[in-house]
Amino acid sequence: MITAKEIEAAIRNVPDFPKAGIQFKDITPLLADARLFAGAIDLLADNFKPGSVDAVVGIDARGFIFAAAAAIKLNAGFVPVRKKGKLPFQTHEQDYALEYGSATIAMHVDALKPGARVLLIDDLLATGGTAAAAAALVKKLGARILEINFLIELKFLNGREKLNGYPVRSVVVY
Ligand code: AMP
C-alpha cells in the first residue's frame, strides 16, 4: 500500500505559477509513476467498495484524471463537470467566485439520475469555490454526494468551510 507521504514526495512545488505568489502543486511526476498513480487512486477510493457508488464526478481538468480511474476501480460511471461552453448537450450551469471575478462550470442535464450515489473528486482543494459549485450541480440533478475527495488540500485557504455538510477527505494536506 502506498502512503500519503510517498504521494506527497512526488508532488512538485512550482513557485510563481501561473502568477506571482501562487505555489502550483504539479502532479505530473506522480502521474508518471505507475505505482504512485495507482496508489493515489486506491487512497482516494478506499472508503468505498465496487458497486457502492453509481457515479464518480470529476472536475475539469485535472480532476478527470483521478475521477476516471477511481470510477473504473469502483465499477461506477464517470461524469465530467466542465468549464462553460465545452459540453455539447443541454447543461445546468453554476457560477462561482474567483480571487478576481468569477467563473462558470457546467454539467449535462441528464448526467446523473435522481438519487444516484456520487463520489465527487478533484485534484486540489484551495478556496473551495470550484468544488462547492460542482456539488451544487450534483444536487440540482437530485443526486446524493457520498463524499468529496481531493488528492491535495491547501488547508490554510479554508476551502472546507464552503463544503459544509458534505464529508470531505484529502490524501495530502499542506
Ligand atoms: P478553488 O476553487 O480555489 O478550491 O480552486 C481549486 C481548483 O483550482 C482546482 O481545480 C485546482 O486544480 C486549481 N488550483 C488552485 N490552486 C492550485 C494550486 N496551488 N496548485 C494547483 N492547482 C490549483
Side-chain angles (χ1 to χ4, degrees), residues 22-25 59-60 62 96 122-131 154:
I22 305 283
Q23 188 191 65
F24 195 85
K25 301 294 183 195
I59 304 177
D60 200 344
R62 286 180 299 276
Y96 61 99
D122 201 2
D123 66 323
L124 186 143
L125 173 62
T127 66
T130 313
L154 305 182

Side-chain angles (χ1 to χ4, degrees), residues 104-162:
T104 306
I105 52 171
M107 185 188 264
H108 276 152
V109 294
D110 61 353
L112 296 165
K113 292 193 177 72
R117 298 161 299 173
V118 167
L119 173 59
L120 177 60
I121 294 184
D122 201 2
D123 66 323
L124 186 143
L125 173 62
T127 66
T130 313
L137 288 172
V138 171
K139 217 173 143 193
K140 199 173 221 164
L141 293 183
R144 190 156 55 91
I145 294 179
L146 303 177
E147 204 170 67
I148 306 180
N149 288 352
F150 303 92
L151 187 73
I152 303 163
E153 175 177 356
L154 305 182
K155 201 163 188 283
F156 53 92
L157 294 174
N158 300 318
R160 278 176 190 252
E161 285 174 10
K162 288 212 185 72

Side-chain angles (χ1 to χ4, degrees), residues 12-161:
R12 176 162 54 197
N13 294 310
V14 182
D16 299 320
F17 183 89
K19 56 185 182 187
I22 305 283
Q23 188 191 65
F24 195 85
K25 301 294 183 195
D26 178 14
I27 55 167
T28 61
L30 163 72
L31 297 175
D33 184 313
R35 198 175 138 263
L36 292 177
F37 184 21
I41 300 305
D42 288 343
L43 288 169
L44 279 168
D46 68 0
N47 257 2
F48 302 97
K49 291 193 169 60
S52 66
V53 173
D54 298 308
V56 182
V57 174
I59 304 177
D60 200 344
R62 286 180 299 276
F64 293 168
I65 300 163
F66 299 101
I72 290 174
K73 184 179 163 76
L74 294 174
N75 196 22
F78 166 73
V79 171
V81 167
R82 295 216 61 184
K83 286 164 188 146
K84 179 186 161 99
K86 299 285 186 186
L87 288 169
F89 186 59
Q90 266 177 281
T91 57
H92 290 306
E93 294 184 350
Q94 182 69 45
D95 297 330
Y96 61 99
L98 296 175
E99 194 181 353
Y100 302 105
S102 71
T104 306
I105 52 171
M107 185 188 264
H108 276 152
V109 294
D110 61 353
L112 296 165
K113 292 193 177 72
R117 298 161 299 173
V118 167
L119 173 59
L120 177 60
I121 294 184
D122 201 2
D123 66 323
L124 186 143
L125 173 62
T127 66
T130 313
L137 288 172
V138 171
K139 217 173 143 193
K140 199 173 221 164
L141 293 183
R144 190 156 55 91
I145 294 179
L146 303 177
E147 204 170 67
I148 306 180
N149 288 352
F150 303 92
L151 187 73
I152 303 163
E153 175 177 356
L154 305 182
K155 201 163 188 283
F156 53 92
L157 294 174
N158 300 318
R160 278 176 190 252
E161 285 174 10

